[in-house]
Amino acid sequence: MTITFVGHGYVGLVTACVFADLGNEVYVIGHTTEKLNKLKNGDPIIYEPGLQEVLKRNLDSKRLHFTNSYEAVNKSEVVFIAVGTPPKPSGEADLSTVLEVAQQIGKNLGNHYTVVSCKSTVPVGTNRKIEAIIKEVVKTADFDVASVPEFLREGSALKDTFEPDRIVIGANNEKATNLLLKLHEGLTGERVTGTLESAELIKYAANSILATKISFANLIALLSEKVGANVEEVLTGIGLDRRIGNIFLSPGVGYGGSCFPKDVMALTHIGTTLGVDMGLLHGVTDINLAIKDLFYEKIKATAPDKNIGVWGLSFKPDTDDIREAPAFYVIGKLLEDDYQITAYDPEATENVKRLLRDKISYSDSAADAAKDKDALIIFTEWNEFKQFDLNELKKLLKKPVIIDGRNIYEPKKMKDMGFTYASVGRKTT
Ligand code: UGA
């Protein structure tokens, strides 16, 4: 098929590459010349394992094209909207870009049947708005709208897209659903088809329950510390019940990224405006904030001397994304307390430099960030940190103090090696 994506963020770019890899002719529309030029030259702009190879492969095969022109819409059977829906101060999703893009698509539809599919995370009812906008722009066009939410995770985006657990397609009629089912034929995973509204709600509900699991784990971590339990033992004990499961139940320094914080707030806003008590999700957000504040308190209590090293700045491993990264929030508070911070992250340093500039120092290696420091703080569980030689780490640090926001080491082992080791939901040893 010939298909077009509007937007080349994580979702647009990764999905476009995957569909090109499956043999489709794929156009990607963007509006920043500098970014489009990089993409045309095989630079994916974002750090995502494996993405550069797939991008280059499909550029070489000439199945993948980047452009700033909406002309591609004209020859496409399916047009995906994959632009951002950032939160407004109220938590409500800002749909201005999505609706603007809908207009442009409407103006450029061809005189054959097209399915305009929304991959952006949008509140229930948005696809009907998109449909109305296109109908207003072009009275006679032969098109349907569909909601095809995306479930890929940063860091494992390609695998998640090639081998998803499920593909959700919401549409008004079978014609649109069938065309999209055909397009997705090369991908694994269960198919869930239904209404536009169901598909729109599935996306928010999925992210919200995942965030709820994390906040629940963090709440149990907090209680574990109070009662002297070990949260890892507690969560293993409950997670082995197959009705509960242990996936996505890791406590830490809170969830971040461009999705969970935004989507939980957006669903809270949707429910509240409909008169539904959204207390559960308010709680999820509140715990996520509180857990970061408590981690900051833990750093102050465990590391009173203020020349500290930081390992990990991205909101999770295997990405350079720092949006809503817990590290960022806690570092901001530590700076107010005059901590001197030297940070290392395998991929995210450049992004942090653009924002924090010389407020902190940056290291080229994990070892350098730890060298001669009064304490080491861990915000992200990169493999490099899990595998670091702890004997070397002890020699590097001025004081053997570690405050670990991702529970990557064993407290007993750390104690035996002579570290002061504070983690999440476990006794400081
Ligand atoms: C999330 C969802 O997992 C994807 O399914 C979804 O497609 C995506 O949002 C989106 O809406 O676009 P992502 O934000 O890339 O993906 O990353 P996750 O792996 O979900 O992690 C989010 C945050 O939760 C990270 O800060 C991570 O450290 C934290 N987390 C995750 C925990 O604190 N504990 C866990 O057990 C799991």
Side-chain angles (χ1 to χ4, degrees):
M1 286 189 200
T2 300
I3 62 176
T4 289
F5 280 83
V6 185
H8 48 63
Y10 270 96
V11 171
L13 182 58
V14 171
T15 325
C17 285
V18 166
F19 278 125
D21 224 42
L22 293 176
N24 299 288
E25 190 75 20
V26 181
Y27 291 84
V28 181
I29 301 176
H31 57 73
T32 317
T33 312
E34 192 197 335
K35 288 186 180 172
L36 288 172
N37 285 340
K38 282 188 177 171
L39 290 164
K40 282 179 194 170
N41 287 319
D43 174 354
I45 310 174
I46 45 172
Y47 172 78
E48 179 65 37
L51 185 57
Q52 188 155 32
E53 292 79 61
V54 189
L55 173 65
K56 282 195 169 146
R57 187 159 73 222
N58 287 286
L59 284 169
D60 289 348
S61 71
K62 305 214 179 328
R63 279 196 299 266
L64 186 59
H65 319 271
F66 294 93
T67 172
N68 60 4
S69 155
Y70 274 80
E71 262 171 42
V73 167
N74 188 284
K75 47 189 160 199
S76 297
E77 288 155 86
V78 179
V79 179
F80 285 104
I81 301 177
V83 294
T85 52
K88 292 182 184 175
S90 62
E92 185 188 357
D94 182 348
L95 295 177
S96 48
T97 313
V98 169
L99 301 180
E100 213 176 286
V101 164
Q103 275 220 344
Q104 292 301 325
I105 292 173
K107 284 183 194 161
N108 288 278
L109 280 179
N111 45 18
H112 54 82
Y113 180 66
T114 313
V115 179
V116 179
S117 308
C118 190
K119 274 214 168 283
S120 304
T121 302
V122 291
V124 181
T126 306
N127 276 280
R128 295 208 185 269
K129 279 190 196 156
I130 293 173
E131 186 176 28
I133 287 175
I134 298 178
K135 276 190 176 151
E136 214 176 288
V137 176
V138 48
K139 302 272 183 295
T140 54
D142 184 13
F143 80 100
D144 278 308
V145 294
S147 168
V148 188
E150 185 51 59
F151 302 102
L152 63 80
R153 290 161 297 174
E154 292 182 20
S156 55
L158 279 171
K159 190 173 187 305
D160 290 346
T161 310
F162 275 117
E163 299 164 33
D165 290 339
R166 79 299 207 187
I167 290 162
V168 174
I169 299 173
N172 278 337
N173 59 47
E174 273 188 20
K175 191 176 176 190
T177 307
N178 289 339
L179 187 69
L180 287 167
L181 284 171
K182 189 160 170 261
L183 176 65
H184 286 83
E185 256 168 19
L187 303 174
T188 57
E190 298 276 331
R191 270 53 173 164
V192 181
T193 58
T195 65
L196 287 171
E197 289 74 13
S198 300
E200 289 168 333
L201 192 54
I202 284 170
K203 172 66 194 188
Y204 278 118
N207 273 0
S208 295
I209 195 162
L210 290 169
T212 303
K213 284 185 89 170
I214 299 167
S215 277
F216 182 80
N218 283 328
L219 180 65
I220 298 299
L222 182 57
L223 288 172
S224 297
E225 283 183 29
K226 297 272 181 212
V227 302
N230 176 327
V231 72
E232 301 294 347
E233 291 166 6
V234 177
L235 291 172
T236 302
I238 64 169
L240 283 170
D241 182 328
R242 272 175 292 173
R243 292 170 303 171
I244 301 169
N246 57 10
I247 300 171
F248 246 73
L249 214 49
S250 302
V253 65
Y255 60 75
S258 62
C259 304
F260 287 172
K262 161 178 87 73
D263 292 348
V264 172
M265 283 199 314
L267 188 57
T268 308
H269 185 269
I270 291 169
T272 308
T273 51
L274 294 170
V276 179
D277 181 350
M278 298 302 284
L280 174 66
L281 292 189
H282 277 297
V284 169
T285 298
D286 290 349
I287 291 170
N288 199 50
L289 246 184
I291 219 74
K292 289 185 279 196
D293 285 327
L294 289 166
F295 191 67
Y296 155 74
E297 296 294 344
K298 192 175 281 174
I299 296 170
K300 282 210 317 182
T302 321
D305 298 320
K306 296 188 170 175
N307 182 20
I308 59 172
V310 160
W311 278 3
L313 297 165
S314 56
F315 82 98
K316 61 180 269 187
D318 295 325
T319 178
D320 61 356
D321 196 340
I322 55 165
R323 286 176 287 178
E324 300 281 331
F328 222 67
Y329 175 87
V330 177
I331 285 174
K333 296 195 74 155
L334 291 169
L335 286 174
E336 282 169 23
D337 280 340
D338 298 325
Y339 274 81
Q340 294 112 53
I341 297 170
T342 305
Y344 168 72
D345 186 285
E347 295 295 336
T349 309
E350 289 309 313
N351 287 339
V352 173
K353 268 187 194 168
R354 273 194 281 277
L355 291 171
L356 287 185
R357 295 172 192 277
D358 58 0
K359 288 187 183 151
I360 65 171
S361 307
Y362 306 91
S363 286
D364 288 339
S365 69
D368 186 57
K371 196 167 186 308
D372 296 329
K373 299 300 182 302
D374 296 321
L376 177 70
I377 321 296
I378 300 171
F379 284 108
T380 320
E381 67 278 32
W382 287 89
N383 272 339
E384 183 182 338
F385 306 151
K386 290 184 189 168
Q387 288 156 7
F388 201 91
D389 181 337
L390 292 172
N391 287 312
E392 190 197 338
L393 183 54
K394 182 134 184 270
K395 281 186 211 144
L396 283 166
L397 286 165
K398 187 168 158 199
K399 294 185 183 147
V401 177
I402 295 182
I403 301 120
D404 175 3
R406 297 291 175 185
N407 287 1
I408 65 175
Y409 304 129
E410 269 310 308
K412 184 172 177 319
K413 182 174 177 196
M414 299 304 277
K415 185 180 178 198
D416 292 348
M417 290 185 73
F419 282 101
T420 298
Y421 179 62
S423 53
V424 179
R426 307 183 295 186
K427 263 194 207 118
T428 296
T429 55

